[in-house]
Amino acid sequence: MKKRTSIALIAVLGAAAIAAYLTRSSWNGAAPVAQAAPRARVVSVELAKAERKPVPFDVDSIGTVTPISSVALKSRVETTIVSVHFEDGAKVQEGDLLFTLDSRQIDAQIEQAEGMLMKDRAQLAGAERDVRRFSDLIGKGATTQVNVDNAKTASDILVGTIQADQSALDNLKVQKSYTLIRAPFSGRISQANVKVGNFVRPADTTALATINQMAPVYVSFAIPQRVLGDLREAMAAGSTSVIATIPNSGRSESGKVAMVENTVDSTTGMVTVRGIMSNPGETLWPGILVQTKLIVRTEEGVVVPTVAVQRSQTGNYVFTVKNGLAHVQPVTIERTFQGLSVITSGLAGSEDVVVDGQLLLTEGTRVEARPRKAGA
């Protein structure tokens, strides 16, 4: 019992000592220390300006360059190559002589046809003299009407013969013109598939060479059918333009829409569009793939950096900053363009919008602007 009493006494004394320590400020006469008020939270953010400016309505796609004119040169007569007058891959102008073919056989046939024509003309002259002679004699009663009629018939036959001779001669001259092969239009020619001495004929499947027109050229690409109506309106107004860029080079050419295919592909919902590019420096080469940008029209709009746009269950919104406070502003996005979002409602332009630090913001959060990162 004495041991229990001692333990209880010690516990009571310990509790009293603790209570005295905790209340020492009061029995010492000292005033309690006041706690500092919590500081309002300030979030550091990056800002950008909403701008109202002209924004193109465009469509990006992959296109293929094709020549407007392309011709495979072939021989129209059976003969041999005498001369080749160009270097492989060279630029040629319309009318340039490219190949000379052996024409000796045709030359001989032309001389023969000219000889036949001269002979028949001489016979016609004799027949016409007979007609005049018999016509004079019939008036004097020195010949019969049969002789006059026969002379006229012979003259008429020779007139027809001469016409046939002239036609044969003209045909041979046309055949001779085929022995000089010239460029039908300006462009760039391929390598020559035949050399001097090769025998060529119209039935050959391999072309002597191929010429492609290089300026202007076509660029064909596909666009979604939803753009078709706007494109047709823009074509009627003459406001369309096409920019074709070679990937990884930055080299590009511009032009306009030349044609829209008359059918939409029902399996893909795409329609083929063909643009015509001036291509004076031969930047675009037939057959290459290019990145195309079809600019349908340009219109005024409010734009903000796309990174400023946030999404929620109720729709898109941005954080605007006014008087150092963040505010939630719902917006409607029409489309994006080169890292910018086009706003159709919610912003009037000139507002400060948050482009970095949105995760720490709520309505009314105090913010302070920090410099934007280089290249942002």
Side-chain angles (χ1 to χ4, degrees):
M1 291 294 292
K2 292 181 178 180
K3 186 175 181 181
R4 292 178 183 175
T5 302
S6 299
I7 294 173
L9 183 60
I10 293 171
V12 171
L13 292 175
I18 294 172
Y21 176 79
L22 293 176
T23 59
R24 69 188 186 282
S25 61
S26 61
W27 48 263
N28 282 337
V33 179
Q35 292 184 345
R39 184 187 176 194
R41 185 181 64 154
V42 178
V43 178
S44 177
V45 296
E46 292 183 10
L47 301 179
K49 280 283 187 183
E51 298 180 276
R52 178 175 291 275
K53 63 180 183 179
V55 182
F57 173 33
D58 56 21
V59 180
D60 293 326
S61 184
I62 300 297
T64 305
V65 180
T66 57
I68 293 178
S69 299
S70 180
V71 61
L73 302 175
K74 290 190 175 183
S75 173
R76 301 182 66 175
V77 293
E78 292 189 1
T79 185
T80 57
I81 301 292
V82 175
S83 299
V84 178
H85 303 278
F86 64 90
E87 295 182 359
D88 293 344
K91 292 182 66 175
V92 296
Q93 301 298 321
E94 181 179 355
D96 284 355
L97 181 61
L98 304 177
F99 294 94
T100 299
L101 309 183
D102 186 3
S103 62
R104 290 175 296 176
Q105 181 178 3
I106 296 178
D107 289 338
Q109 293 174 347
I110 289 176
E111 292 180 359
Q112 182 181 9
E114 289 175 342
M116 290 292 297
L117 180 60
M118 292 176 62
K119 183 188 73 171
D120 291 336
R121 283 177 176 171
Q123 290 180 346
L124 175 61
E128 290 174 344
R129 288 194 297 270
D130 290 341
V131 171
R132 290 193 297 270
R133 184 183 310 111
F134 285 124
S135 297
D136 292 339
L137 293 176
I138 194 68
K140 298 176 182 180
T143 188
T144 63
Q145 185 64 38
V146 174
N147 292 333
V148 176
D149 294 339
N150 289 340
K152 289 182 178 179
T153 301
S155 176
D156 292 340
I157 290 174
L158 288 171
V159 169
T161 302
I162 290 174
Q163 184 175 353
D165 292 342
Q166 185 64 55
S167 298
L169 179 60
D170 292 341
N171 179 61
L172 288 172
K173 289 181 178 179
V174 171
Q175 296 294 318
K176 181 182 170 89
S177 69
Y178 295 156
T179 62
L180 300 177
I181 300 178
R182 300 181 182 274
F185 52 81
S186 300
R188 191 170 290 275
I189 195 167
S190 68
Q191 67 175 2
N193 296 320
V194 293
K195 304 300 180 183
V196 174
N198 286 139
F199 180 77
V200 292
R201 54 186 177 179
D204 291 339
T205 57
T206 302
L208 307 182
T210 301
I211 301 177
N212 286 333
Q213 184 176 344
M214 303 298 291
V217 294
Y218 285 140
V219 173
S220 300
F221 54 95
I223 63 171
Q225 61 183 8
R226 59 180 173 80
V227 187
L228 184 57
D230 293 327
L231 175 58
R232 294 185 62 191
E233 293 178 359
M235 290 179 64
S239 61
T240 62
S241 62
V242 180
I243 301 175
T245 304
I246 301 176
N248 302 322
S249 73
R251 302 176 64 189
S252 62
E253 289 287 343
S254 60
K256 63 180 181 179
V257 175
M259 183 275 295
V260 178
E261 188 57 74
N262 60 0
T263 304
V264 176
D265 189 338
S266 59
T267 60
T268 61
M270 307 291 281
V271 59
T272 300
V273 177
R274 177 181 289 171
I276 183 169
M277 326 297 284
S278 56
N279 199 34
E282 297 186 357
T283 302
L284 305 180
W285 210 257
I288 67 172
L289 296 178
V290 292
Q291 297 172 344
T292 61
K293 182 180 293 294
L294 169 63
I295 301 177
V296 179
R297 63 179 180 271
T298 300
E299 54 193 8
E300 288 283 334
V302 177
V303 297
V304 298
T306 302
V307 294
V309 180
Q310 305 295 301
R311 294 168 178 80
S312 67
Q313 294 180 347
T314 58
N316 297 318
Y317 66 93
V318 297
F319 281 104
T320 61
V321 175
K322 187 176 182 180
N323 298 327
L325 299 178
H327 301 282
V328 177
Q329 177 60 54
V331 294
T332 302
I333 308 297
E334 180 183 17
R335 64 183 187 276
T336 59
F337 164 73
Q338 294 182 353
L340 301 175
S341 293
V342 182
I343 309 296
T344 56
S345 65
L347 296 176
S350 76
E351 295 93 343
D352 290 320
V353 297
V354 179
V355 295
D356 186 57
Q358 298 97 320
L359 294 179
L360 301 177
L361 300 181
T362 57
E363 175 66 29
T365 302
R366 184 168 296 279
V367 299
E368 61 179 4
R370 66 172 185 265
R372 296 195 68 183
K373 299 176 181 179

